[in-house]
Amino acid sequence: MDSADGAAIVVGVDGSEPALRAVRTAATEAARLRRPLRVVHAYIWPLLHTPVDPIAADPPGGGLRRTAQDLVEAAVAQARTVDPGLRVTGEIVDGEASAVLLGTSPTAAMIVLGDRGLGGFGALVVGSVAIQVSTHADCPVLVVRGTPADDGPVVVGVDGSAASRAAVDFAAAQAAARGVRLRAVHAYTHPASAGPGDFQPLVYDEARLRDEEDDVLAGSLAGLAERHPDLPVDREPVHARPVAALTEASRRAQLVVVGGRGHGELAGLLLGSVGHGVLHRSACPVAVVGAPDREPATGR
């Protein structure tokens, strides 16, 4: 049965190999969640000084637009190799990449991007497009990188914030759709260890601290068993830095899911070192889920 809201999965393309990899991943997601796929190219080629000449009868930039159309058609064809029955459309939208993609986000189920690309998607992980789209999108954003473990779990970073709870819901839906375990990781450090040198206090009760942090984790997972009664869930409070904990977990995961903003060291996730660290270091794809006004569309 198709998803009731009909929201599409959107994938940004620019002709690069990482973008085509993102297309294949997006097509797999669309087929798994029974959603249409929308292939979008932001048309900024004249700014890239691409050596493509227009044909005589074309208006200025006509040759460039034909090339853009060719890459969109190639991406659509690539998507159909994943599932010939997939409902997929392709389009060219004039504008800068992040603005174009953000414009699709209010009605999208998910935006999928490669970790690097050409033009507006160039240096995606370290550049402004990933930060702007992941921070401001009204839907989850999946950055395709690394190599997912075929038999691995879906990992979600938990910190007790509203965005973290939204990330848990999205990750649980993903794990259920994939038929794998959900691994909820709550990374914490002692409050006194956040400063330079990570000095430890004179009196330190590790067992009590772990119990307190496990309560945070349990609170973030409250109600999950009722929503997904058949989903196996592993709770994992870890005394470590969030980037280190999630990076380590990513080595054996299909997907890592993080909230767009959080508490503590996860606060302002995509604007600080934690978000950059996860996107740079994860060994598998990373989904960033905010706490939007509407519920994120996760499929069935």
Side-chain angles (χ1 to χ4, degrees):
M1 181 181 297
D2 292 339
S3 298
D5 62 11
I9 290 177
V10 173
V11 58
V13 299
D14 64 359
S16 66
E17 176 52 39
L20 287 178
R21 186 180 176 204
V23 168
R24 293 189 291 271
T25 298
T28 299
E29 288 296 309
R32 178 187 292 128
L33 301 177
R34 299 183 181 180
R35 291 188 174 276
L37 178 64
R38 182 181 174 193
V39 176
V40 176
H41 171 66
Y43 184 70
I44 56 172
W45 287 59
L47 302 179
L48 307 181
H49 307 293
T50 306
V52 180
D53 295 325
I55 60 177
D58 274 356
L64 298 177
R65 187 169 289 275
R66 178 65 257 176
T67 301
Q69 186 63 45
D70 288 344
L71 75 85
V72 169
E73 290 173 358
V76 169
Q78 185 75 216
R80 289 191 172 128
T81 66
V82 175
D83 183 348
L86 189 65
R87 291 176 294 156
V88 53
T89 59
E91 62 187 290
I92 300 172
V93 182
D94 291 345
E96 186 271 333
S98 58
V100 167
L101 291 169
L102 286 173
T104 71
S105 72
T107 57
M110 183 192 309
I111 294 175
V112 182
L113 300 171
D115 64 345
R116 294 176 184 84
L118 305 171
F121 296 100
L124 180 63
V125 171
V126 297
S128 64
V129 173
I131 294 174
Q132 291 177 20
V133 175
S134 300
T135 302
H136 300 294
D138 293 323
C139 65
V141 177
L142 174 60
V143 178
V144 180
R145 57 163 295 115
T147 303
D150 291 339
D151 58 350
V154 170
V155 171
V156 59
V158 176
D159 68 359
S161 66
S164 172
R165 289 189 289 274
V168 167
D169 285 342
F170 177 85
Q174 280 283 320
R178 295 165 184 246
V180 299
R181 304 182 71 85
L182 176 66
R183 182 181 176 191
V185 176
H186 173 52
Y188 66 93
T189 57
H190 192 281
S193 68
D198 286 356
F199 295 111
Q200 301 293 338
L202 296 176
V203 179
Y204 184 73
D205 188 340
E206 170 63 27
R208 180 177 178 180
L209 177 60
R210 184 179 179 86
D211 288 344
E212 291 173 350
E213 299 300 337
D214 189 56
D215 288 343
V216 173
L217 180 52
S220 295
L221 300 178
L224 195 60
E226 288 74 23
R227 297 191 296 274
H228 298 277
D230 298 324
L231 177 65
V233 180
D234 299 320
R235 286 168 43 181
E236 189 172 336
V238 182
H239 192 178
R241 299 286 189 184
V243 170
L246 293 173
T247 299
E248 179 60 30
S250 75
R251 303 184 195 284
R252 299 176 298 280
Q254 291 190 19
L255 174 69
V256 171
V257 183
V258 292
R261 297 173 182 82
H263 293 319
E265 290 191 72
L266 285 175
L269 180 63
L270 267 267
L271 303 177
S273 61
V274 173
H276 285 287
V278 173
L279 285 175
H280 277 296
R281 300 176 191 177
S282 177
C284 69
V286 178
V288 181
V289 182
D293 294 335
R294 66 180 178 93
E295 291 296 318
T298 49
R300 289 179 260 202

